[in-house]
Amino acid sequence: MSGFDGYKIPADLKKDFTPDETNEMRRAYQAFDINGDGHIDADELKSVLDNLGERMSADALNKMIDEVDTDGNKTVEWDEFCQMMHNIRNGKGEAAMAQVVKKAAKMFNVEGAGGAVHTFSEEERDAFTLHLNNCLGKDPDLSNMPMKIDSMELFENCQDGLMLCKLINLAEEGSVDERALNKKKNMNVYQKTENQNLAINAARAIGCQVVNVGAMDLIEGRPILILGLIWQIIKLQLTSNISLKDCPELVLLLEDGEELEDLLKLSAEDILLRWFNYHLKNAGSARRVTNFGGDLKDSECYSILLNQITKCGLVGAGDDKAKATQVIANANAMGVESFIQPNDIVKGNKKLNLGFCAQIFNTNSGLVISEEELADFDFAGLDLDDAGDTREERIFRMWINSLNIDGLYINDLFGDLTDGVAILKIMDKVEPGIVSWRKVNMSPKNKFKRVENCNYAVTLAKQMKFSMVNIGGLDICDKNKKLILGIIWQLMRRHTINILTNLTPGDKLVTDNEIIQWANDKVKSGGKPSSIRNFNDSSIASGQFLLDLCASVESRAVDPSIVSSGSTPEAKLNNARYAISVARKIGACVFLTPEDIVEVKSKMVLMFVASLWNASLSMA
């Protein structure tokens, strides 16, 4: 895409801005216009706000655009941006976007190729660099480690995708089969693209919301996009074990009238805040933490927390920076390999404070409960090792989160769907416009309203011709796991089929038989002898057919020396792991596990093959 090159101040405004001011405005505009097409849309505005640590609803983003958008095209062009800045200078209003521009202006600007300007936080760049040095500094495949902290090496080292894939495996072991990675020191663009595709699709598969990020964005080293992706992976790495399954002592955080299931609904961030306040309360402090920003600036709450956990003593008198320095030293003494700096605490950096809190929790939560006390809680009723944490539940949850639906992130698939609002949002994403939102109780206060929403979801599912035999709204509201999994599977399948249908001739939905026919024809055209009768074909278990299909889509992607006959259970799993990573590096966004292939889970195999077809058509 060619960049926009029309940064001239409108004639009627020119006298109001000096050349230096014009240059600063140009830099500000380019920082927001991420793809350089001369338009700032809501997605680009959201990307900048995400990097600033601000969360905003789609309605708020659109309202911010509308305040500046004079021609009504839902984007902000350069002339409109200049008019906004002119109005502010002359006291004619204070558009919300202008406040964001001012905040972004305080961040670090770097001019890249072609004069493009990227805006990002120096503090976060340095913190993430330090964290990666700590975690991957001795990895033999990463020859440029450790990186210099106060430098642009982080972005340079991300350009081949290798370090990103390594980081994803730290967040969730086995997400990337390293045999599928290109590891040469001097990679060509194709090899880098494969690694970046693998990184992006593996990140989606572990729950990252990767929007408007392509392989070339990462190869070009775009700072704002790289930092956004790295932060999501680091956050998952640090918070993945903050759950009842991994830390049953969290029952101590239950509030009056709550059940264990209420804890399951909480995000890791909410659990961390409860944990922090639990220790503040036990210390007899009147202070409470409601966020990871301003509430932590003076370090007093950190001091009390660490004293409760390790009896290290409270920090003494001094300015906020001195106290923050002591807090970090106390955390390091207890074994925390922190990447936060004193100024990050003083400035209230929400991301880095969240990461620091998670590191403290993971090192020593300070939660102590006896076996006898734990026995009083009905963990068996939660099915933590059964339906509540099945592969299907997790895969569907990751798929939903990958859709990047505004205001929706699923922590507990069954609990988070009970009010009907979430499942309606998913339906509207899969079939845009199908939901009439005036019929929806957006904040249902009682079970009647929740069931009403769920009944509407069932009605729409029937309208989409889903199999809904003996399923009612009450089943969703009451968390009937089997039925909920069935509905979400059909939504996931329809979403993939819709994408595939849009890429193929005709307007009829692609059928399962057509997907099988495509796969067999593709493998045959690639000179391979394998084929399948259906998605239950037992030969799928060896992984060979799926690898033959990957090789037929992109012959360079599969190394034949890695593929085995799949004659033993271990060999089958190895082939399956390799097939998933190869599919992702080709560009297929697949959501399944190696076990799904070995056990021939027909639903998941169907999605794998359909996603490969999507990738093949997109490549063409």
Side-chain angles (χ1 to χ4, degrees):
M1 182 181 293
S2 61
F4 175 67
D5 192 30
Y7 297 109
K8 294 181 180 179
I9 297 289
D12 58 328
L13 306 179
K14 195 168 184 179
K15 65 180 186 302
D16 290 337
F17 298 100
T18 68
D20 285 345
E21 289 170 335
T22 300
N23 192 45
E24 286 303 312
M25 285 169 55
R26 176 181 65 84
R27 286 177 174 272
Y29 188 85
Q30 288 179 314
F32 282 74
D33 180 19
I34 295 172
N35 64 9
D37 66 353
H39 307 275
I40 299 172
D41 60 26
D43 285 339
E44 289 173 319
L45 184 56
K46 182 178 184 297
S47 293
V48 174
L49 285 164
D50 284 348
N51 202 49
L52 289 168
E54 303 289 342
R55 291 288 178 186
M56 198 166 282
S57 68
D59 287 342
L61 286 167
N62 290 328
K63 183 178 179 181
M64 193 180 290
I65 295 281
D66 290 343
E67 285 180 341
V68 185
D69 174 29
T70 56
D71 62 9
N73 67 349
K74 301 300 181 184
T75 63
V76 175
E77 282 70 51
W78 170 245
D79 287 1
E80 293 167 332
F81 187 83
C82 292
Q83 187 64 57
M84 173 188 74
M85 302 304 290
H86 174 268
N87 289 345
I88 292 167
R89 164 169 285 192
N90 290 279
K92 296 179 181 178
E94 183 75 351
M97 181 183 282
Q99 296 302 314
V100 179
V101 172
K102 289 179 181 178
K103 188 169 183 179
K106 297 176 182 178
M107 300 172 77
F108 184 82
N109 291 314
V110 58
E111 190 158 345
V117 175
H118 308 285
T119 304
F120 62 89
S121 163
E122 258 189 311
E123 291 81 6
E124 289 170 16
R125 177 201 62 185
D126 294 349
F128 299 162
T129 299
L130 178 57
H131 180 70
L132 286 164
N133 283 345
N134 290 340
C135 296
L136 296 170
K138 297 180 180 179
D139 191 297
D141 295 324
L142 302 176
S143 59
N144 295 325
M145 298 291 276
M147 298 173 281
K148 294 177 182 176
I149 303 299
D150 186 14
S151 75
M152 303 296 286
E153 288 186 10
L154 173 65
F155 308 120
E156 295 165 5
N157 281 7
C158 284
Q159 290 176 348
D160 63 10
L162 186 56
M163 187 169 69
L164 286 173
C165 287
K166 297 271 189 177
L167 179 61
I168 289 168
N169 271 348
L170 291 179
E172 184 163 321
E173 187 177 359
S175 296
V176 174
D177 186 334
E178 290 204 12
R179 295 176 300 169
L181 285 171
N182 299 305
K183 296 183 179 181
K184 294 180 180 178
K185 187 171 182 179
N186 296 311
M187 299 183 206
N188 59 37
V189 172
Y190 170 74
Q191 292 165 330
K192 291 178 181 178
T193 300
E194 282 194 324
N195 283 355
Q196 299 292 15
N197 283 338
L198 180 46
I200 290 169
N201 288 316
R204 288 191 176 111
I206 64 172
C208 294
Q209 296 182 311
V210 187
V211 183
N212 296 327
V213 180
M216 285 308 299
D217 295 314
L218 302 179
I219 290 171
E220 291 170 4
R222 296 192 174 190
I224 192 169
L225 299 180
I226 288 174
L227 287 180
L229 178 57
I230 286 178
W231 165 241
Q232 288 194 71
I233 301 169
I234 289 175
K235 185 168 75 168
L236 286 172
Q237 176 195 0
L238 296 179
T239 61
S240 60
N241 293 326
I242 302 176
S243 66
L244 268 177
K245 181 178 180 180
D246 294 292
C247 184
E249 294 85 358
L250 287 173
V251 296
L252 292 170
L253 307 184
L254 281 169
E255 296 177 352
D256 291 342
E258 284 189 332
E259 303 291 337
L260 287 178
E261 288 188 348
D262 294 311
L263 273 182
L264 287 178
K265 296 178 185 178
L266 296 178
S267 66
E269 294 96 310
D270 289 334
I271 290 175
L272 278 176
L273 289 174
R274 278 206 186 189
W275 161 76
F276 210 134
N277 289 325
Y278 170 85
H279 284 299
L280 292 176
K281 180 180 178 181
N282 284 352
S285 172
R287 292 285 299 271
R288 294 294 182 270
V289 174
T290 61
N291 57 66
F292 294 104
D295 286 357
L296 299 172
K297 285 183 175 182
D298 64 3
S299 292
E300 180 182 335
C301 293
Y302 272 135
S303 175
I304 297 169
L305 171 71
L306 293 172
N307 182 56
Q308 279 292 110
I309 293 173
T310 67
K311 306 304 179 187
C312 60
L314 299 172
V315 298
D319 61 23
D320 287 349
K321 185 175 180 180
K323 289 188 286 186
T325 300
Q326 186 58 53
V327 158
I328 293 172
N330 288 344
N332 291 344
M334 66 179 275
V336 174
E337 203 166 27
S338 64
F339 53 82
I340 199 168
Q341 301 300 316
N343 278 335
D344 301 328
I345 296 176
V346 174
K347 292 179 180 179
N349 188 301
K350 295 175 184 177
K351 294 178 185 176
L352 303 185
N353 274 312
L354 169 58
F356 188 43
C357 288
Q359 287 180 306
I360 295 170
F361 180 96
N362 292 332
T363 304
N364 183 356
S365 71
L367 299 175
V368 180
I369 187 170
S370 68
E371 292 290 337
E372 292 76 14
E373 291 172 306
L374 270 178
D376 293 335
F377 295 92
D378 183 20
F379 282 93
L382 291 180
D383 291 332
L384 288 175
D385 294 309
D386 189 22
D389 196 35
T390 57
R391 298 198 303 267
E392 269 192 325
E393 185 274 341
R394 186 183 184 284
I395 287 168
F396 293 162
R397 184 159 38 89
M398 296 301 103
W399 167 71
I400 293 169
N401 291 336
S402 77
L403 298 176
N404 196 37
I405 299 171
D406 181 58
L408 183 67
Y409 193 91
I410 301 297
N411 297 296
D412 169 25
L413 181 66
F414 308 116
D416 288 350
L417 301 185
T418 56
D419 67 2
V421 176
I423 197 167
L424 287 167
K425 286 185 176 182
I426 300 165
M427 287 179 162
D428 204 51
K429 182 73 173 184
V430 172
E431 295 281 356
I434 194 171
V435 177
S436 175
W437 290 104
R438 60 182 178 79
K439 297 180 181 180
V440 181
N441 305 295
M442 295 306 295
S443 300
K445 304 297 183 184
N446 53 53
K447 187 170 183 177
F448 175 78
K449 293 293 184 183
R450 293 194 293 272
V451 173
E452 196 173 67
N453 282 348
C454 294
N455 282 334
Y456 183 40
V458 170
T459 299
L460 293 181
K462 291 176 179 176
Q463 185 178 318
M464 296 165 74
K465 302 190 184 309
F466 287 178
S467 174
M468 300 296 289
V469 179
N470 297 323
I471 299 178
L474 189 61
D475 294 309
I476 300 173
C477 195
D478 286 348
K479 296 187 283 192
N480 185 311
K481 295 173 181 176
K482 183 177 179 180
L483 298 182
I484 288 172
L485 289 173
I487 296 171
I488 299 300
W489 147 245
Q490 293 181 82
L491 282 167
M492 183 180 180
R493 180 183 182 280
R494 175 62 62 83
H495 183 252
T496 302
I497 295 298
N498 282 349
I499 297 172
L500 190 51
T501 300
N502 289 334
L503 292 171
T504 52
D507 55 2
K508 289 186 178 180
L509 291 177
V510 173
T511 65
D512 291 7
N513 286 337
E514 287 174 311
I515 297 172
I516 292 170
Q517 185 65 50
W518 170 81
N520 283 329
D521 289 347
K522 194 71 177 177
V523 170
K524 185 178 180 180
S525 70
K528 306 291 184 180
S530 59
S531 64
I532 56 172
R533 297 185 304 277
N534 51 51
F535 292 117
N536 288 307
D537 195 315
S538 61
S539 68
I540 292 170
S542 72
Q544 279 196 311
F545 176 79
L546 298 181
L547 282 164
D548 285 346
L549 181 57
C550 288
S552 299
V553 171
E554 175 48 80
S555 59
R556 295 171 292 181
V558 178
D559 181 350
S561 68
I562 294 175
V563 183
S564 73
S565 62
S567 57
T568 66
E570 183 180 2
K572 289 177 181 177
L573 268 177
N574 282 335
N575 278 352
R577 290 190 187 100
Y578 188 48
I580 291 171
S581 284
V582 168
R584 286 173 178 161
K585 78 176 184 179
I586 290 173
C589 187
V590 294
F591 292 88
L592 81 168
T593 68
E595 290 77 13
D596 293 326
I597 294 174
V598 172
E599 296 169 17
V600 194
K601 298 291 186 183
S602 59
K603 294 177 182 178
M604 298 307 169
V605 175
L606 163 62
M607 298 305 297
F608 182 97
V609 176
S611 296
L612 264 178
W613 191 0
N614 279 334
S616 176
L617 290 168
S618 297
M619 290 165 63

